[in-house]
């Protein structure tokens, strides 16, 4: 009896091929949230890791040169050990900064895409307004966490707004190209259709 109940529950939660295809077709960028969010986080982490690696290794190299400027080696063996130690500090500094920046970008990306999906579910539609609200919410949380001043908070919110509008507009254009409904576009169509019908009735 227990096995049959578990089997029934498993089948109840397993989507059919048509339902699975519908999930893909109706999702943003044609990628379901359970794949889109991890992929975005991984992409953001990779970008942050690359940027942090370059910046961290450069900073570590400059710091190493400054700290050892007064004791430069005078022999071939000394120069060999100098460059070996320098390369070690370059690699260590790059990896540390890369992990730091990558983790930060990955977390912000995950927060933004999760919040965007929550707004989509709550509003029952997918459009740039959910993206803008998610971007502003994450920008506000980031500013609060870092205790930014009012000016810095406004600057961060402005960047979040620009990103939300740009990224949301790109997603909406792709949705329209795929034939998926976009919330505000459908709203405009309904009101234009009603206005047209009223004009036809009055004429």
């Amino acid at each position: 009896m227990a096995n049959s109940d578990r089997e029934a529950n498993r089948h109840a939660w397993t989507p059919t091929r048509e339902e699975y295809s519908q999930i893909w077709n109706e999702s943003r960028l044609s990628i379901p949230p359970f794949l889109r969010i991890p992929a975005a986080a991984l992409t953001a982490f990779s970008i942050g890791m690359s940027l942090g690696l370059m910046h961290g290794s450069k900073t570590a190299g400059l710091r190493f040169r400054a700290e050892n400027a007064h004791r430069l080696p005078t022999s071939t063996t000394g120069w060999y050990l100098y460059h070996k130690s320098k390369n070690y500090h370059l690699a260590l500094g790059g990896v540390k900064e890369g992990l730091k920046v990558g983790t930060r970008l990955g977390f912000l990306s995950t927060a933004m895409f999760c919040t965007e999906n929550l707004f989509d579910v709550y509003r029952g539609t997918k459009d740039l307004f959910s993206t803008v609200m998610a971007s502003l919410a994450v920008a506000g949380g980031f500013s609060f966490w870092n205790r930014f001043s009012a000016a810095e908070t406004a600057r961060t919110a402005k960047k979040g707004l620009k990103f939300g509008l740009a990224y949301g507009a790109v997603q909406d254009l792709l949705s329209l190209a795929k034939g998926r409904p976009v919330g505000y576009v459908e709203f405009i169509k309904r009101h234009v259709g009603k206005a047209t019908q009223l004009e036809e009735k009055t004429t």
Side-chain angles (χ1 to χ4, degrees), residues 38-88:
L42 182 61
T43 302
F45 176 82
S46 300
I47 294 173
M49 184 71 185
S50 301
L51 295 175
L53 189 64
M54 291 187 293
H55 179 263
S57 59
K58 182 178 180 180
T59 304
L62 294 174
R63 186 185 301 113
F64 182 85
R65 288 177 60 185
E67 291 175 350
N68 294 274
H70 64 285
R71 50 181 179 183
L72 292 175
T74 57
S75 63
T76 304
T77 304
W79 278 110
Y80 170 78
L81 295 174
Y82 174 87
H83 286 294
K84 185 177 181 180
S85 180
K86 181 182 177 182
N87 290 335
Y88 169 78

Side-chain angles (χ1 to χ4, degrees), residues 28-29 128 164-176 184:
R28 288 177 177 270
L29 305 177
L128 67 83
L165 287 171
Y167 183 64
V170 169
Q171 290 188 98
D172 287 354
L173 288 174
L174 291 174
S175 294
L176 291 172
Y184 60 89

Side-chain angles (χ1 to χ4, degrees), residues 138-161:
V138 173
F142 181 75
S143 300
F144 177 78
W145 179 264
N146 290 280
R147 298 180 179 178
F148 286 167
S149 64
E152 290 174 325
T153 301
R155 197 177 304 116
T156 304
K158 188 176 180 180
K159 291 180 180 179
L161 177 61

